[in-house]
């Protein structure tokens, strides 16, 4: 690009600066797209009005139409309710004998990522579209955080061989705790399916958060196989559903 | 929808067309878009119809420009209003409606292109064969429009959106930047590149 072009690019073109022939093309295109008949509008409106009335007849439709602030509060509230319930029942036995700073780092980073995932997933429709890059980065960060927690000195311990044997119950419990958060986030979501990836991240991290609070086994292998895997399973599950949906749509 | 609203069938097609023609330039006596939206949020279904009459034609033209399928263009217009209905509780008194509606519509168009792109990877351009011709203009004008649409579809998505908002919707760069979630400088650069590319690609047709 020449220096002149660079300057023009930085200033941005005025409508008058655009090549007159290209402008003519654009104007023609605009005019050609402008044929909107009254029947077109009427039929669009009629078929839509019944859909609009039906759309809020169920609980799901009603929840989706709440304001974005309310939807975000509800979804984050579901996480807090589950964490509170687990804390009451197990009395935080997973963190009782750990240094406060390690607990803060672990629960703080998981909590921030859960909030960020839910916040981004339940964005308002009039906001610019989510990019694949941002969603992918957040999902990777979620998996990364769950894995790193298993390597924080003071929080995780090197365990003897075979210490991962009790991982399955933790994994199931993590998936079970994550499911309500995922389900509610999907019910509250109005946007494209890309946000289901973020809902899955939040659900997996919720499972992780509760396991970190309640599970007294701090063996590294156990934390990797039993806790961190919850995020990965949720994400892989959502990717699998997306792949099946795409295939079915192509066939349809 | 409230009980006091008039039924859709009570509006004659002629009246609808007249309202549509006035969409972009309603007089000062008409309620503003924001006023209509506020009334709709409060439950006045007739206000929704007025908004539809104003924005329906604008959105249908927008979607027709971006999608070569009339049915799909109509479907996306409906989805836009459906989403607007769902998001109505997010509308704040100090917001402007037009950017809202345009962003929702452009997001839906973008989502369609993403799906289309994925489909094209596995099935070679099936949509081009399936796409019906939506326009009823004379052949030559039609060809030129098709050439522009071809050129527009070759632009990267980020540039295509900027051309739509800057040229066709006549939005200033500052507003386009807000709508696409970028900086004004970046949007200006994208617009410059897009118009340069269009000039280059269409040049052969314009100046043979």
């Amino acid at each position: 690009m020449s220096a002149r072009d660079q300057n023009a690019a930085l200033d941005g073109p005025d409508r008058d600066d655009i090549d007159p022939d290209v402008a003519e093309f654009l104007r023609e295109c605009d005019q050609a797209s402008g044929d909107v008949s009254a029947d077109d509008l009427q039929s669009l409106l009629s078929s839509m009005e019944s859909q609009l009335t039906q759309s809020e007849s169920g609980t799901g439709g009603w929840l989706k139409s709440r304001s974005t602030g309310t939807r975000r509060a509800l979804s984050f509230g579901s996480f807090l309710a589950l964490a509170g319930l687990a804390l009451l029942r197990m009395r935080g036995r997973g963190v009782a004998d750990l240094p406060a700073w390690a607990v803060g780092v672990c629960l703080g980073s998981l909590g921030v990522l859960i909030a960020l995932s839910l916040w981004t997933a339940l964005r308002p429709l009039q906001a610019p579209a989510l990019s694949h890059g941002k969603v992918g980065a957040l999902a990777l960060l979620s998996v990364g955080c769950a894995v790193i927690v298993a390597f924080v000195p003071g929080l995780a311990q090197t365990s003897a061989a075979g210490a991962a044997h009790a991982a399955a119950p933790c994994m199931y419990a993590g998936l079970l705790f994550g499911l309500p958060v995922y389900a509610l986030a999907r019910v509250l979501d109005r946007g494209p399916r890309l946000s289901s990836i973020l809902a899955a991240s939040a659900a997996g991290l919720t499972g992780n958060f509760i396991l970190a609070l309640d599970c007294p086994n701090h063996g590294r292998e156990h934390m990797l196989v039993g806790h961190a895997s919850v995020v990965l399973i949720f994400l892989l599950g959502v990717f699998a559903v997306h792949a099946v949906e795409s295939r079915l749509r192509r066939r349809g | 929808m409230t009980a006091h609203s008039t039924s859709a069938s009570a509006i004659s097609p002629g009246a609808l067309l007249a309202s549509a023609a006035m969409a972009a330039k309603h007089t000062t006596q008409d309620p503003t878009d924001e006023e209509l939206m506020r009334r709709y949020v409060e439950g006045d279904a007739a206000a929704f119809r007025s908004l539809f009459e104003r924005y329906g034609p604008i959105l249908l033209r927008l979607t027709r420009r971006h999608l070569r399928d009339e049915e799909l263009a109509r479907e996306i217009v409906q989805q836009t209003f459906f989403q607007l209905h769902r998001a109505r509780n997010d509308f704040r008194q100090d917001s402007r409606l037009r950017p809202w509606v345009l962003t929702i519509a452009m997001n839906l168009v973008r989502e369609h292109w993403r799906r289309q792109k994925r489909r094209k990877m596995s099935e070679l351009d099936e949509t081009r064969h399936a796409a019906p011709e939506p326009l009823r203009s004379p052949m030559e004008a039609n060809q030129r429009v098709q050439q522009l649409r071809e050129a527009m579809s070759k632009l990267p998505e980020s540039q295509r959106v900027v051309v739509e908002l800057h040229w066709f919707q006549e939005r200033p760069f500052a507003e386009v930047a807000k709508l696409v979630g970028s900086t004004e400088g970046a949007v200006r650069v994208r617009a410059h590149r897009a118009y340069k590319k269009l000039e280059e690609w269409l040049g052969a047709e314009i100046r043979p």
Side-chain angles (χ1 to χ4, degrees):
Chain A
M1 201 188 270
S2 70
R4 195 180 155 200
D5 270 357
Q6 272 178 355
N7 284 337
L10 288 174
D11 290 342
D14 281 332
R15 289 169 69 86
D16 298 340
D17 293 343
I18 295 162
D19 183 283
D21 292 325
V22 173
E24 184 59 28
F25 250 99
L26 290 165
R27 265 190 291 274
E28 280 177 33
C29 184
D30 196 17
Q31 283 162 9
S33 310
D35 180 24
V36 180
S37 72
D39 289 343
D40 274 347
L41 281 181
Q42 182 61 57
S43 68
L44 275 173
L45 185 60
S46 309
S47 64
M48 215 170 55
E49 280 187 321
S50 57
Q51 283 177 30
L52 291 181
T53 316
Q54 282 169 9
S55 72
E56 284 174 24
S57 53
T59 316
W62 184 83
L63 283 170
K64 277 184 208 304
S65 67
R66 297 307 91 200
S67 71
T68 297
T70 308
R71 292 183 302 123
R72 281 170 170 164
L74 280 172
S75 67
F76 196 67
S78 70
F79 152 69
L80 288 179
L82 282 168
L85 206 69
L87 196 63
L88 275 176
R89 191 165 166 266
M90 309 298 275
R91 299 182 187 283
R93 62 177 185 165
V95 290
D97 55 346
L98 294 175
W101 69 266
V103 175
V105 167
C106 170
L107 298 184
S109 52
L110 289 172
V112 165
L113 271 175
I114 290 167
L116 195 62
S117 299
L118 290 172
W119 180 273
T120 316
L122 299 174
R123 58 205 274 106
L125 286 167
Q126 70 278 10
L130 273 175
S131 72
H132 280 93
K134 275 184 195 162
V135 174
L138 210 48
L140 273 178
L141 202 63
S142 302
V143 176
C145 181
V147 170
I148 286 169
V149 162
F151 287 91
V152 175
L155 192 63
Q157 299 143 9
T158 319
S159 46
H165 69 282
C170 272
M171 198 200 313
Y172 297 142
L175 290 170
L176 205 65
F177 276 115
L179 267 178
V181 172
Y182 178 78
L184 187 63
R186 295 307 295 147
V187 169
L188 290 165
D189 185 34
R190 312 162 175 158
R193 61 182 189 159
L194 203 55
S195 51
S196 63
I197 295 170
L198 296 172
S201 286
L205 289 167
T206 299
N208 249 264
F209 188 96
I210 291 171
L211 290 172
L213 268 178
D214 291 343
C215 176
N217 188 342
H218 300 127
R220 185 160 297 150
E221 288 81 0
H222 173 84
M223 288 175 79
L224 281 173
V225 181
H227 299 196
S229 61
V230 175
V231 186
L232 204 60
I233 291 171
F234 264 109
L235 285 171
L236 290 176
V238 167
F239 285 132
V241 170
H242 281 196
V244 171
E245 271 179 7
S246 299
R247 186 158 289 187
L248 287 176
R249 199 176 294 130
R250 273 202 299 275
R251 280 186 190 169
Chain B
M1 301 278 163
T2 54
H4 67 271
S5 64
T6 53
S7 73
S9 57
I11 301 170
S12 73
L16 259 177
L17 184 61
S19 306
M22 296 291 287
K25 39 189 170 187
H26 46 272
T27 65
T28 49
Q29 294 151 339
D30 290 334
T32 61
D33 296 347
E34 290 72 27
E35 173 64 20
L36 283 173
M37 188 64 188
R38 191 186 57 73
R39 281 196 220 158
Y40 178 53
V41 174
E42 287 167 3
D44 180 358
F48 180 80
R49 260 182 230 121
S50 303
L51 284 173
F52 188 86
E53 287 162 17
R54 284 184 188 179
Y55 281 98
I58 295 171
L59 293 177
L60 201 52
R61 283 197 293 268
L62 180 151
T63 51
R64 278 174 177 172
R65 270 194 296 274
H66 287 263
L67 312 160
R68 296 178 205 173
D69 185 326
E70 177 70 8
E71 272 309 304
L72 196 60
R74 293 163 64 88
E75 194 186 313
I76 289 195
V77 170
Q78 285 187 321
Q79 279 181 37
T80 304
F81 280 99
F82 193 67
Q83 301 279 39
L84 182 72
H85 167 73
R86 279 216 160 131
R88 67 191 185 282
N89 288 319
D90 281 342
F91 189 74
R92 294 194 316 268
Q93 297 296 323
D94 56 343
S95 309
R96 285 178 54 227
L97 187 68
R98 194 184 176 95
W100 257 56
V101 177
L102 290 179
T103 312
I104 293 174
M106 292 309 294
N107 283 349
L108 288 168
V109 169
R110 191 182 294 192
E111 179 71 10
H112 164 77
W113 279 106
R114 277 180 181 166
R115 264 190 254 126
Q116 198 79 341
K117 203 172 157 189
R118 279 199 295 273
R119 195 174 293 182
K120 273 181 186 171
M121 283 176 180
S122 53
E123 291 174 38
L124 197 63
D125 209 356
E126 63 172 329
T127 52
R128 286 174 74 110
H129 301 292
E133 176 50 62
L135 302 171
R136 294 182 290 270
S137 329
M139 195 182 287
E140 198 186 8
N142 215 348
Q143 270 179 352
R144 283 169 68 83
V145 171
Q146 285 307 319
Q147 282 160 5
L148 181 74
R149 286 184 175 179
E150 289 280 346
M152 287 278 282
S153 69
K154 282 197 283 182
L155 287 175
E157 185 190 286
S158 58
Q159 294 178 10
R160 193 164 51 226
V161 173
V162 169
V163 171
E164 172 61 42
L165 295 170
H166 178 241
W167 178 270
F168 292 110
Q169 302 301 328
E170 301 182 20
R171 301 291 92 199
F173 282 119
E175 192 175 316
V176 176
K178 273 189 194 164
L179 291 173
V180 301
S182 187
T183 63
E184 192 178 330
V187 160
R188 283 175 184 277
V189 171
R190 280 189 221 166
H192 174 79
R193 287 182 182 157
Y195 290 126
K196 276 279 168 205
K197 277 182 196 164
L198 288 177
E199 193 181 324
E200 185 186 318
W201 293 335
L202 295 169
E205 308 297 334
I206 298 165
R207 294 175 281 268

